[in-house]
Amino acid sequence: ENPVGTNVLSRSLMLLNLYFDDKLLGQYDFPDMIGQHMQQLCAVPEALLQSANPGCGHSWLVRLAKPMYDTLKALCFDQHRERTFTETFIFPAFATLQVAATGVDESFRLEHGLDSQTTASYASNYVIVQTIRVMERHVGIGIRIGLYPKWYDLSTAYWYRDFLLSALLNIRGSIEQERLERKAMELRIKLEEEEEKKKASAVTKKQIQKKGKKKGKKKEPNLDAVRETAIEEAARVSAEDFEDRLEYTCLSVHRYLCRGTVRYIAALRQAGLLSEPPSSITMFTSHQTRFEKRFDSFAMLPQPQPLSFEDYVLGSDFSAVRREDLVKSAGDCFRSCKGVIERLLQVVVAETDEDVDITKKRRNDDLYISVRREEAMALTKVCVANSLFLHKLSMAPSKVSEVALEFTAHKEYCTLNLK
């Protein structure tokens, strides 16, 4: 996130020192850092990163470096320029990377004789995760800078953002499941090896006793202790694991907010409290053309496949749902979101001089957390305000005469105030 109040000179100095002497910040091997990030985020095997096949291994990491550097570089721009830079350079680069990643995964499977049906597409997963992150931020910045000024514009933005967040959460969930299965397999293999060692030790002991030799004093391995140690190692949470879980929770917060807002807008439309778009906006165009132009930059990306206006019409059509059920569904989204934020506030603690276990909690001034307490509190205000107005809509819809769209609590999520 761009620091609030950072002027153009400061951002220019950041950009100037971001990458020099062929290293990030002049001291870090960027391809190596990307490799570590791939292993942490997408459980990429080390064998893929060390492959000697053309275009794989270190060559693949070097190829990733430029687009990944551009994503960092874009953060130093103002938000209007960032959107332009993303559409012009980052999206085309990631479209090419997705095609290349497919080749890397295929080469890795052929090299190790792996089945394409049961082996994850490690390189592709990583590139797609990064692609969706950029897409989701792209939509969020559009909301921040006022490209979706009316409710009918915001409805499309929040609906599309909900889709991107859901896709990102699904991929991250699948990766985590694969990681857990791999840990379970490694644990099973380790325990089986210890079982074999114990059996071999017992056979050797019997053979020695038959030969009449003295009983050795060598202590036999305690299988229960080995099992307990292996389970502890598999369950251990690192600082990086905690950061990933914190980010996953934040993504859930944003999805609840997007989904709840889309349903809140639909409920207001059913109640006749939102005026339809004026005919003047379609005098020289159509709603479909407006939608396609807004998300035209996503069309160049192979994955995720771009959504069409027809998808939006079907996905946002709640005409078959009773207004009471729609209001309840929107309220449930905001309440669930508030509950998740409360859990976040328990682990993101205020600045303190006391030591904090970084595998369980983080201080608010930590550089590596996904959300600050200030933003979490602002998101809570959005949830509470919209929940109260939804309650008012359910109890006395006839007393509501006007709906005001406001971004006072948060710049990306609106409150629809009923008056």
Side-chain angles (χ1 to χ4, degrees):
E1 195 65 39
N2 291 338
V4 176
T6 304
N7 60 35
V8 66
L9 178 59
S10 300
R11 287 187 276 112
S12 297
L13 289 173
M14 292 179 197
L15 182 57
L16 185 64
N17 293 283
L18 186 60
Y19 196 88
F20 62 94
D21 292 341
D22 294 327
K23 291 186 178 181
L24 190 69
L25 300 176
Q27 56 183 324
Y28 300 109
D29 187 332
F30 196 36
D32 182 61
M33 292 181 69
I34 293 174
Q36 295 176 29
H37 191 229
M38 292 179 72
Q39 289 180 294
Q40 173 64 32
L41 184 66
C42 293
V44 176
E46 192 170 350
L48 186 147
L49 304 177
Q50 296 178 348
S51 175
N53 289 342
C56 303
H58 185 70
S59 300
W60 168 243
L61 296 178
V62 171
R63 184 170 184 179
L64 278 172
K66 180 60 169 66
M68 293 300 293
Y69 163 73
D70 283 341
T71 62
L72 298 177
K73 178 181 177 180
L75 299 177
C76 297
F77 298 148
D78 64 70
Q79 295 180 338
H80 294 80
R81 188 179 175 194
E82 181 182 344
R83 273 183 59 91
T84 303
F85 184 80
T86 299
E87 293 176 351
T88 308
F89 296 102
I90 297 180
F91 283 155
F94 274 98
T96 305
L97 277 180
Q98 287 190 22
V99 177
T102 304
V104 172
D105 288 324
E106 183 63 26
S107 177
F108 174 71
R109 287 191 288 262
L110 291 174
E111 181 182 0
H112 297 278
L114 300 173
D115 184 9
S116 60
Q117 300 297 322
T118 56
T119 306
S121 300
Y122 297 107
S124 295
N125 283 344
Y126 181 76
V127 174
I128 291 173
V129 165
Q130 300 307 317
T131 303
I132 299 177
R133 276 178 163 176
V134 176
M135 294 171 70
E136 189 271 331
R137 178 174 173 81
H138 190 69
V139 177
I141 291 176
I143 298 172
R144 276 179 172 267
I145 62 179
L147 296 184
Y148 308 96
K150 302 296 183 180
W151 69 261
Y152 38 84
D153 301 312
L154 283 170
S155 179
T156 61
Y158 288 131
W159 177 82
Y160 211 122
R161 198 178 190 187
D162 178 16
F163 161 74
L164 294 173
L165 289 164
S166 298
L168 189 54
L169 287 167
N170 288 337
I171 295 174
R172 292 284 296 274
S174 300
I175 291 171
E176 186 61 25
Q177 181 64 32
E178 195 269 341
R179 190 201 307 273
L180 292 174
E181 290 175 357
R182 189 191 300 179
K183 281 186 176 181
M185 183 178 65
E186 291 172 352
L187 175 61
R188 186 168 60 252
I189 292 172
K190 187 171 184 177
L191 293 176
E192 288 174 355
E193 289 175 349
E194 293 299 330
E195 287 276 9
E196 291 297 325
K197 287 180 182 179
K198 188 173 182 179
K199 290 178 181 178
S201 176
V203 171
T204 304
K205 183 179 177 182
K206 288 181 180 179
Q207 291 175 347
I208 292 174
Q209 289 176 349
K210 286 181 180 179
K211 292 180 180 179
K213 294 184 179 180
K214 291 184 179 180
K215 189 174 182 181
K217 294 183 180 181
K218 186 176 179 181
K219 189 177 180 181
E220 293 183 4
N222 187 336
L223 190 59
D224 291 335
V226 171
R227 182 182 290 109
E228 190 173 327
T229 303
I231 292 173
E232 287 179 358
E233 290 179 358
R236 185 176 294 118
V237 177
S238 66
E240 291 77 12
D241 292 334
F242 181 80
E243 289 166 13
D244 290 341
R245 293 179 183 181
L246 195 61
E247 182 188 9
Y248 188 92
T249 305
C250 292
L251 293 174
S252 300
V253 167
H254 290 288
R255 182 175 66 171
Y256 277 129
L257 280 167
C258 291
R259 189 166 295 180
T261 305
V262 169
R263 294 176 182 181
Y264 186 11
I265 290 173
L268 292 173
R269 289 189 69 187
Q270 282 193 5
L273 296 172
L274 291 176
S275 57
E276 292 300 314
S279 57
S280 59
I281 69 172
T282 57
M283 187 176 297
F284 302 104
T285 183
S286 65
H287 293 300
Q288 179 173 350
T289 302
R290 284 163 54 83
F291 180 93
E292 291 171 351
K293 288 297 181 182
R294 287 189 185 280
F295 305 107
D296 182 57
S297 57
F298 296 164
M300 69 180 75
L301 297 165
Q303 294 293 335
Q305 293 185 354
L307 300 179
S308 65
F309 181 71
E310 289 77 14
D311 295 325
Y312 165 70
V313 171
L314 291 173
S316 60
D317 181 13
F318 296 96
S319 57
V321 182
R322 293 190 312 128
R323 190 176 70 207
E324 294 78 7
D325 296 335
L326 194 54
V327 169
K328 181 179 181 302
S329 177
D332 289 342
C333 287
F334 290 122
R335 279 190 293 273
S336 298
C337 182
K338 183 174 177 293
V340 176
I341 294 174
E342 288 174 352
R343 293 198 294 272
L344 278 175
L345 291 173
Q346 292 175 359
V347 297
V348 180
V349 298
E351 291 86 345
T352 175
D353 294 332
E354 298 179 4
D355 292 334
V356 174
D357 184 354
I358 59 174
T359 64
K360 295 179 180 179
K361 290 186 178 182
R362 289 299 174 92
R363 298 197 324 176
N364 193 46
D365 57 355
D366 193 309
L367 296 176
Y368 302 103
I369 57 175
S370 305
V371 65
R372 308 285 175 194
R373 289 182 64 86
E374 294 79 11
E375 183 179 6
M377 294 300 297
L379 294 173
T380 301
K381 291 179 182 178
V382 175
C383 293
V384 172
N386 283 333
S387 295
L388 290 174
F389 289 125
L390 278 165
H391 180 70
K392 181 178 181 180
L393 180 64
S394 65
M395 298 301 292
S398 59
K399 295 183 179 180
V400 178
S401 59
E402 184 182 353
V403 179
L405 190 68
E406 295 183 1
F407 283 90
T408 52
H410 196 276
K411 291 183 179 180
E412 288 184 22
Y413 296 101
C414 64
T415 54
L416 293 155
N417 300 351
L418 306 185
K419 300 178 181 179

